[in-house]
Structure formats: structure tokens, C-alpha cells
């Protein structure tokens, strides 16, 4: 918890690996899909919390490049759920001024789902509140690869000199580059790994792991992650003394 003279820091950009749906359902003797459906409720809570707490961007991991390897039945149900939720939540996103963006290899989805995604993005594109990025058929390695491909094409056409490629230029070709850096990454479900989520973007994020399974996620869990974040000194390679000095100079 923060004390009175300590300033509360709110992350500008939060990313979440929503994990544990399957185990949550299985513990109740239900099919894994029951957990995914229940997970949608947690997602609504997370979005509302982010909006209410003036978090600028929320990026959620909905389906990884590797999740195609799951049983066909589960994959099909997840696609169907994605389609249904895009339709049913659109009005709410509009009402709350939320801008939706899907990141990932969209061509991997059915034409019908791709169309739904483009529609939802189009309807919400001018909204000025929370930016909600849904990572679907997304992999951190895919992201870096697609960025590399973009730059390689520019080099091939002579628009870019290979020697001019630096971190800044590569960053600009990677997803989420227009948003503030991901300050905080939350993973539910007890695993302490990245599972090929935002590999580039998480370079300096604070990481919060919780055993809470995604369908049990609520404002309290989100708040615990924010409390952890608020208490962290972010040094970005500097010493603690340097950080304190910069802070007192800017006050
Ligand atoms: C996360 O929950 C949701 C997706 C990957 C789509 P899981 O389905 O991975 O749940 P567990 O980890 O098996 O419990
Ligand atoms: C990560 O969860 C992907 C999503 C939450 C969408 P997984 O359940 O697929 O990750 P692993 O397989 O346990 O690493
Ligand atoms: Mg999992």
C-alpha cells in the first residue's frame, strides 16, 4: 500500500496474459470452454478498471500463435467466442469511448472473423478513451519478424540504407509503437513465463504474476498489481542515486 507522502504512480500501458481458464473449469468438473466463456466476464472487469483508473492502453493476450496446436474443438470454440464477443461488446466499447485494435497475424483467421474485426476497429477508430489492443494469433517472434520484413523491403527498394537501421527504426515497425511503453505486465494462472507475448515491448516492464486464475480475476487483483507497480523504482539501467537526483531536479 502507498503512504500519504508517497506519490501513487499509475501505469500508462498495462498488458495482461489472461491464463488459467482451462484449469478453472476443470476444477469445477466442466469443459475448458466453460472457463473461456467465464473469462469474458473478467475481461469486462479489467477493461472497466483500466478505464476508471485512467490507464491509457490495455493490451490483452487472447490467442497465441501457438494456441492453434490445441484440440480442434477448443480452437473452434475460441474462434466462435471471439466472433460473438466482438459483436456483443461493440456497443459497450462505443459507449465508453474505447478504441479497439487487434494485433497479430489476422490472415490466419476466417474471412468472416477478419471482417468482424475490421468492422469493430472501424467503428471505434475515433474514440479517445482507453486503447484496447487484443493480441490474437499473436506471437512476439512473429511481431519482430514482420517488422524485420517491413524494413528489409525498404532496403530492397533502396528507400532505406541497411546501416541506418537502429533500435528506434525497428521499434517503429513493431506493433504498439504509437502507444506509451508497456509499464506493467500481469499474468494470471500461476505460470512465470512470457509464452511468446510482447518480447520486444516488455524489455523494461514491471512484471506481476499471480496464482489467481483468469475467470477469478477482478478489480482487487488488478489493484494489487497497481500497488506493486506504484512501489517500484524504475531505474532503466541507472543507479538508484541517479534516479532520485533526476526526480528531485524535475520537481
Ligand atoms: C488462457 O487460458 C486462455 C487461452 C490461452 C485462450 P488457458 O486455456 O491457457 O487455461 P489453462 O492454462 O489451460 O488453465
Ligand atoms: C498464453 O497462455 C496465451 C494466452 C493467454 C492467450 P498459454 O496457456 O497458451 O501459455 P503456455 O502454453 O502455458 O505457455
Ligand atoms: Mg494456459
Amino acid at each position: 500500500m502507498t503512504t500519504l507522502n508517497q506519490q501513487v504512480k499509475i501505469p500508462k500501458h498495462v498488458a495482461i496474459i489472461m491464463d488459467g481458464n482451462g484449469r478453472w473449469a476443470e476444477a469445477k468438473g466442466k469443459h475448458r470452454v466453460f472457463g473461456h466463456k467465464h473469462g469474458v466476464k473478467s475481461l469486462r472487469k479489467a477493461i472497466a478498471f483500466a478505464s476508471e483508473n485512467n490507464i491509457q492502453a490495455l493490451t490483452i493476450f487472447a490467442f497465441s500463435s501457438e494456441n492453434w496446436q490445441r484440440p480442434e474443438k477448443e480452437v473452434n470454440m475460441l474462434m466462435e467466442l471471439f466472433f460473438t464477443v466482438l459483436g456483443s461488446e461493440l456497443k459497450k466499447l462505443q459507449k465508453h469511448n474505447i478504441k479497439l485494435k487487434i494485433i497479430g497475424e489476422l490472415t490466419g483467421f476466417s474471412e468472416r472473423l477478419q471482417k468482424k474485426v475490421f468492422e469493430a476497429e472501424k467503428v471505434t477508430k475515433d474514440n479517445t478513451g482507453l486503447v484496447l489492443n487484443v493480441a490474437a494469433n499473436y506471437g512476439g517472434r512473429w511481431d519482430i519478424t514482420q517488422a524485420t520484413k517491413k524494413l528489409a523491403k525498404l532496403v530492397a527498394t533502396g528507400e532505406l540504407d541497411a546501416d541506418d537501421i537502429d533500435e528506434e527504426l525497428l521499434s517503429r515497425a513493431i506493433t504498439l509503437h504509437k502507444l506509451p511503453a508497456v509499464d506493467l505486465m500481469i499474468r494470471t494462472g500461476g505460470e512465470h513465463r512470457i509464452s511468446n507475448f510482447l518480447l520486444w515491448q516488455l524489455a523494461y516492464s514491471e512484471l506481476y504474476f499471480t496464482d489467481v486464475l483468469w475467470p477469478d480475476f477482478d478489480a482487487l487483483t488488478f489493484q494489487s498489481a497497481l500497488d506493486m507497480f506504484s512501489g517500484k523504482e524504475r531505474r532503466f539501467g541507472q543507479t538508484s542515486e541517479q534516479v532520485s537526483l533526476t526526480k528531485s531536479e524535475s520537481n
Side-chain angles (χ1 to χ4, degrees):
M1 285 311 263
T2 46
T3 56
L4 272 180
N5 54 4
Q6 212 183 337
Q7 231 185 342
V8 177
K9 284 184 293 178
I10 296 286
K12 289 193 176 82
H13 189 166
V14 178
I16 307 182
I17 300 180
M18 313 182 290
D19 195 25
N21 292 349
R23 279 165 285 161
W24 183 88
E26 279 158 7
K28 291 183 158 38
K30 307 261 186 181
H31 193 273
R32 296 174 56 82
V33 171
F34 181 69
H36 296 315
K37 285 187 178 159
H38 217 88
V40 176
K41 295 184 189 171
S42 305
L43 180 55
R44 281 192 203 111
K45 289 181 196 167
I47 296 169
F49 184 92
S51 279
E52 285 157 18
N53 284 276
N54 296 320
I55 290 167
Q56 294 177 27
L58 180 68
T59 299
I60 53 147
F61 206 6
F63 192 85
S64 77
S65 318
E66 290 75 29
N67 287 147
W68 293 109
Q69 294 168 48
R70 292 192 176 196
E72 199 183 332
K73 220 170 149 189
E74 184 173 343
V75 171
N76 289 343
M77 280 303 297
L78 280 167
M79 292 302 140
E80 212 40 57
L81 189 63
F82 193 24
F83 186 86
T84 314
V85 170
L86 272 174
S88 66
E89 302 302 301
L90 195 54
K91 263 197 191 136
K92 269 178 241 159
L93 295 181
Q94 270 305 81
K95 190 174 157 215
H96 292 102
N97 196 21
I98 295 168
K99 181 174 172 170
L100 179 76
K101 181 95 187 98
I102 312 295
I103 57 165
E105 202 169 6
L106 276 175
T107 51
F109 294 125
S110 68
E111 294 268 331
R112 174 175 167 259
L113 187 51
Q114 287 185 50
K115 216 173 133 215
K116 196 88 172 166
V117 164
F118 293 136
E119 266 169 31
E121 286 184 337
K122 200 171 152 199
V123 170
T124 64
K125 77 175 179 17
D126 295 322
N127 289 347
T128 54
L130 176 76
V131 178
L132 175 65
N133 304 297
V134 178
N137 194 16
Y138 178 89
R141 289 176 180 168
W142 164 82
D143 201 350
I144 297 168
T145 308
Q146 64 80 29
T148 310
K149 215 183 273 181
K150 271 186 205 157
L151 298 191
K153 281 181 184 164
L154 294 176
V155 173
T157 56
E159 287 164 85
L160 176 67
D161 189 332
D163 284 330
D164 289 335
I165 297 175
D166 57 10
E167 288 183 17
E168 173 58 28
L169 208 63
L170 188 56
S171 276
R172 277 195 253 148
I174 288 179
T175 62
L176 309 179
H177 66 281
K178 286 189 184 145
L179 295 167
V182 177
D183 306 300
L184 170 66
M185 196 282 286
I186 300 170
R187 180 172 187 146
T188 61
E191 305 294 0
H192 292 204
R193 56 177 174 250
I194 305 295
S195 300
N196 197 18
F197 194 26
L198 310 162
L199 299 179
W200 178 277
Q201 299 89 334
L202 293 181
Y204 261 107
S205 312
E206 300 298 336
L207 307 177
Y208 184 84
F209 298 101
T210 171
D211 289 339
V212 169
L213 301 172
W214 180 249
D216 289 328
F217 183 89
D218 58 12
L220 215 66
T221 319
F222 209 147
Q223 188 58 54
S224 303
L226 290 200
D227 289 344
M228 179 283 286
F229 177 82
S230 195
K232 288 278 174 196
E233 177 184 65
R234 309 192 69 201
R235 295 190 285 275
F236 299 98
Q238 291 192 314
T239 66
S240 188
E241 201 185 346
Q242 287 175 301
V243 174
S244 310
L245 202 68
T246 320
K247 220 189 273 169
S248 62
E249 278 169 1
S250 63
N251 278 339

